[in-house]
Amino acid sequence: MEGNQSWIAEFILLGFQLSEDMELLLFVIFILLYTFNLLANGMILGLISLEPRLHTPMYYFLSHLAITDVAYASSHLPNMLENLVKHKKTISYFSCTMQMVSYLAFASVECLTLVVMSYDRFVAICHPLQYTVIMNWRVCTFLAIACWACGFSLAIVQVSLFLRLPFCGPQKVNHFFCEIRSVLKVTCGETWINDIFLLADGVFILIAPISLVLVSYVRILWAILKIQSKEGRKKAFSTCSSHLCVVGFYFGIVLMVYMIPDDNNREEPQKILFLFYTFFNPLLNPLVYSLRNAQVKAAFHRLLQKRRTV
């Protein structure tokens, strides 16, 4: 058909139907949250790089988690903030594609990094005498590179499948950024291959990691219960409680967003969940690891003391 076109100039992001005054209010709130995200994760990265006592596998992976959180939020929040302050809702085809690559890649990297961190805690508690041998820096570097390579590979495959699709008619995406499932709904081509690959990615990135994390923490809990002293049990549990809190919150929201069957009646609640995930999940990691982790708090106090003595 002459009216069909395989390439388009831009998409229209419907987002939330709000007045201009409300959009300006949301702009102020969101930019404050985004700034706090950058500062909080930047603080974690700074502490880990400046404090030699935090140069351990656990904090090495935590630094990757902080980088991922900043990158994930930065992949689509600047465009969203620009749309709010300018009261426009368009995004170019190229920018939309880059958004999809970025958020899919960084979300996948975060899932895999959380799994690697649970494995690190498993080795630390269940095999403490062999910890330094098993989690040596060569292994840690390999695991980190594998997380990033796997995350970007999966994202590139998904977006490559998306780029083959034709578009026709008004390109109104019912979301506040280019979330791939929402964009697929406006194509006029067959999307069953995309749907199959999205389901496969969900199993690989969500179901398999959650299963591995659960197995790790069952083994960890069993090992902690075997510790004779109360102080030893408390110390062992404190080393993994922060990570467990982050994992529970992160995977809980992601499962609600991606693994529940798609339904047009659930589009608005899903957008709210995405909004919550976009702004609060990147803040959760630095807050949990700074407020609940004794080593991070001690490192922060030592750094302040050094500043005062200079």
Side-chain angles (χ1 to χ4, degrees), residues 158 161 164 184 190-199:
Q158 290 290 351
L161 291 171
R164 69 182 177 83
L184 287 175
E190 291 290 339
T191 62
W192 63 270
I193 296 178
N194 303 74
D195 295 333
I196 289 174
F197 272 83
L198 281 172
L199 180 62

Side-chain angles (χ1 to χ4, degrees), residues 195-233:
D195 295 333
I196 289 174
F197 272 83
L198 281 172
L199 180 62
D201 274 6
V203 173
F204 181 74
I205 293 295
L206 293 176
I207 303 302
I210 288 173
S211 302
L212 291 173
V213 169
L214 288 175
V215 170
S216 296
Y217 273 99
V218 167
R219 296 284 301 276
I220 288 170
L221 181 61
W222 185 251
I224 290 175
L225 293 175
K226 287 183 177 180
I227 298 174
Q228 298 297 324
S229 67
K230 184 178 179 181
E231 188 63 29
R233 286 197 299 270

Side-chain angles (χ1 to χ4, degrees), residues 44 47 54 59 62 289-290 293-301:
I44 290 291
L47 281 175
L54 298 183
Y59 295 102
L62 179 59
Y289 280 102
S290 59
N293 194 291
Q295 285 181 292
V296 172
K297 287 189 286 188
F300 184 69
H301 289 311

Side-chain angles (χ1 to χ4, degrees), residues 18-301:
L18 303 169
S19 65
E20 291 189 359
D21 290 339
M22 183 59 69
E23 285 185 342
L24 288 175
L25 176 62
L26 287 180
F27 170 79
V28 173
I29 295 172
F30 290 166
I31 200 169
L32 288 174
L33 289 172
Y34 180 49
T35 303
F36 190 39
N37 168 22
L38 298 179
L39 292 174
N41 283 289
M43 182 197 72
I44 290 291
L45 287 170
L47 281 175
I48 293 172
S49 62
L50 294 173
E51 179 54 58
R53 298 183 193 183
L54 298 183
H55 293 174
T56 62
M58 176 182 174
Y59 295 102
Y60 172 71
F61 293 121
L62 179 59
S63 67
H64 281 270
L65 202 62
I67 293 170
T68 306
D69 282 334
V70 170
Y72 177 84
S74 300
S75 67
H76 55 275
L77 281 182
N79 176 263
M80 178 184 171
L81 293 171
E82 180 187 2
N83 288 351
L84 286 173
V85 74
K86 292 183 177 179
H87 309 298
K88 72 181 186 69
K89 297 183 177 182
T90 58
I91 182 171
S92 69
Y93 183 87
F94 175 77
S95 297
C96 186
T97 304
M98 294 307 298
Q99 267 194 11
M100 280 190 280
V101 172
S102 300
Y103 98 83
L104 285 171
F106 294 127
S108 300
V109 171
E110 183 158 14
C111 286
L112 296 173
T113 303
L114 288 171
V115 174
V116 171
M117 291 178 73
S118 69
Y119 174 69
D120 171 74
R121 292 301 84 205
F122 164 74
V123 176
I125 292 174
C126 298
H127 304 284
L129 298 179
Q130 291 132 342
Y131 178 73
T132 54
V133 176
I134 297 174
M135 298 301 293
N136 60 67
W137 284 111
R138 181 178 296 179
V139 171
C140 292
T141 303
F142 170 78
L143 290 173
I145 292 174
C147 289
W148 285 89
C150 188
F152 272 88
S153 298
L154 292 172
I156 289 171
V157 169
Q158 290 290 351
V159 175
S160 298
L161 291 171
F162 162 78
L163 291 174
R164 69 182 177 83
L165 296 171
F167 290 90
C168 48
Q171 308 309 320
K172 295 181 179 180
V173 179
N174 190 15
H175 219 291
F176 56 85
F177 76 106
C178 286
E179 195 272 325
I180 190 165
R181 294 193 305 178
S182 299
V183 179
L184 287 175
K185 290 179 181 179
V186 303
T187 181
C188 53
E190 291 290 339
T191 62
W192 63 270
I193 296 178
N194 303 74
D195 295 333
I196 289 174
F197 272 83
L198 281 172
L199 180 62
D201 274 6
V203 173
F204 181 74
I205 293 295
L206 293 176
I207 303 302
I210 288 173
S211 302
L212 291 173
V213 169
L214 288 175
V215 170
S216 296
Y217 273 99
V218 167
R219 296 284 301 276
I220 288 170
L221 181 61
W222 185 251
I224 290 175
L225 293 175
K226 287 183 177 180
I227 298 174
Q228 298 297 324
S229 67
K230 184 178 179 181
E231 188 63 29
R233 286 197 299 270
K234 183 179 178 181
K235 184 178 179 181
F237 184 75
S238 67
T239 63
C240 60
S241 60
S242 298
H243 177 254
L244 186 59
C245 179
V246 169
V247 166
F249 185 85
Y250 177 84
F251 282 112
I253 290 182
V254 173
L255 282 174
M256 285 191 288
V257 170
Y258 279 107
M259 298 312 292
I260 297 175
D262 199 10
D263 184 356
N264 289 334
N265 295 325
R266 296 183 63 255
E267 287 183 340
E268 294 304 314
Q270 279 188 332
K271 284 193 286 185
I272 294 172
L273 277 175
F274 259 108
L275 202 63
F276 191 80
Y277 171 79
T278 298
F279 281 104
F280 292 100
N281 186 68
L283 290 174
L284 180 71
N285 296 334
L287 287 176
V288 169
Y289 280 102
S290 59
L291 295 176
R292 292 180 57 86
N293 194 291
Q295 285 181 292
V296 172
K297 287 189 286 188
F300 184 69
H301 289 311

